[in-house]
Amino acid sequence: MSALAVSFGFFLFLTMLGRATLALCCWRGGILRSWLLAPATGLATAVLCIMMLNQAGLPVRAFAGPMTWGLALFALGIFLWRRPVFPARALAPFFAL
């Protein structure tokens, strides 16, 4: 059960990071579409940060924790600044899956 909770938490983290990235880029593809695209965008953002820091010569173990906290604070700051709309009714069928 804990592995499922960790997986769901990671998915939620990537979704919030991706939605913040899309809000920062002023992406105008529609509210529902941006929330559905957010996990892939969040994963791409995290992977690009990991690759840049690792290719700079840092081991992943050295920056994984601070990078995670930094990306979480980045997402929180963008959410406080941009205040994205959460379409709960439109996303309800996707929660069932």
Side-chain angles (χ1 to χ4, degrees), residues 34-58:
S34 68
W35 279 101
L36 293 176
L37 187 62
T41 306
L43 183 63
T45 303
V47 166
L48 284 173
C49 290
I50 292 168
M51 282 179 30
M52 286 188 327
L53 290 171
N54 189 260
Q55 288 180 357
L58 295 170

Side-chain angles (χ1 to χ4, degrees), residues 1-95:
M1 190 62 164
S2 65
L4 182 63
V6 169
S7 298
F8 183 69
F10 182 63
F11 181 75
L12 189 63
F13 172 74
L14 290 179
T15 301
M16 294 303 141
L17 177 62
R19 184 60 184 104
T21 304
L22 289 171
L24 183 65
C25 295
C26 297
W27 190 69
R28 305 219 183 254
I31 296 171
L32 179 62
R33 198 173 286 165
S34 68
W35 279 101
L36 293 176
L37 187 62
T41 306
L43 183 63
T45 303
V47 166
L48 284 173
C49 290
I50 292 168
M51 282 179 30
M52 286 188 327
L53 290 171
N54 189 260
Q55 288 180 357
L58 295 170
V60 176
R61 182 177 290 213
F63 66 81
M67 187 198 74
T68 303
W69 284 108
L71 289 175
L73 287 175
F74 162 76
L76 181 66
I78 296 299
F79 279 150
L80 292 176
W81 177 44
R82 290 283 185 163
R83 304 233 188 244
V85 177
F86 182 73
R89 185 172 289 179
L91 285 172
F94 300 101
F95 286 131

